Amino acid sequence: MAKLMVKDLMVPLSGYATASEDSTLVEAVKALKQAQKNFDQTRDKHRAILITDKNNKVVGKLSQLDVIRALEPKYLKIDNPRTLTRFGFSQDYLQYTLKEHNLWENALDDICKKAAKQIVKNFMYTPTEGEFVKENTSLNEAIHQLIMGRHQSLLVTKGEEIVGVLRLTDVFREISERISSCFE
């Protein structure tokens, strides 16, 4: 795998779902559906949407979890759920927060109206420094970065520009194909 580079497995930016930071969830989900439809059907479908600013520069990501969380705005009242998830919780605590904050009581009612009102920039995830990788980085180094950061994907850069996405699912596919070849 030392010979493989990030650019060999990345999905080019042009093949990825994107939406403006001012888009609604409806528009973002439509963009994801369209990108999935147009994407190479031999590869796993996208599970995230890249969010762009007014200059068409990638400024964030919107995951499946972010979309679902946006439909229940009461999560904003709870401490940052991204930092809390690393700790793991008992079923009692999960039930307590569900009842204490009245989460998901009516969240799926009028889902279309709710999704049309939610603006992406309010729920998108802004990548940190550790979620960027250069296109000429070895796949070995990128795998280490994915594992240590517990990332589902890395934004691939060429100079200062984001040119693609290295997805964990594509790295896993490469590894599993190599393991399978051991038994043929």
Side-chain angles (χ1 to χ4, degrees), residues 17-151:
T18 60
S20 161
E21 64 186 342
D22 296 321
S23 297
T24 65
L25 283 181
V26 169
E27 294 165 330
V29 169
K30 282 183 181 180
L32 178 60
K33 289 261 188 212
Q34 187 62 46
Q36 288 174 333
K37 182 179 172 184
N38 297 338
F39 193 60
D40 179 353
Q41 297 302 306
T42 65
R43 295 176 76 178
D44 293 329
K45 292 183 177 183
H46 300 308
R47 291 183 272 169
I49 305 153
L50 297 178
I51 307 304
T52 59
D53 65 11
K54 293 172 185 143
N55 299 318
N56 213 28
K57 178 182 171 198
V58 175
V59 293
K61 294 181 191 178
L62 196 67
S63 70
Q64 293 171 330
L65 197 56
D66 294 327
V67 170
I68 295 169
R69 186 173 54 92
L71 295 171
E72 177 49 276
K74 294 176 193 169
Y75 279 112
L76 294 175
K77 295 178 184 175
I78 301 174
D79 287 338
N80 185 350
R82 289 191 201 303
T83 57
L84 294 176
T85 57
R86 301 262 188 213
F87 300 113
F89 296 110
S90 69
Q91 286 298 319
D92 289 341
Y93 179 75
L94 292 173
Q95 288 299 316
Y96 166 77
T97 56
L98 183 69
K99 290 177 184 172
E100 178 70 19
H101 296 283
N102 298 315
L103 298 169
W104 293 102
E105 281 185 337
N106 300 308
L108 296 178
D109 296 345
D110 296 322
I111 195 168
C112 295
K113 287 181 185 176
K114 288 178 184 176
K117 291 179 184 177
Q118 298 301 337
I119 303 300
V120 165
K121 67 182 163 191
N122 297 330
F123 296 95
M124 73 178 196
Y125 171 75
T126 304
T128 61
E129 180 183 343
E131 293 175 77
F132 294 88
V133 65
K134 294 177 181 158
E135 68 172 352
N136 290 321
T137 300
S138 73
L139 190 57
N140 290 340
E141 189 176 331
I143 290 171
H144 177 68
Q145 193 172 340
L146 286 164
I147 290 170
M148 295 303 291
R150 302 181 66 104
H151 303 300

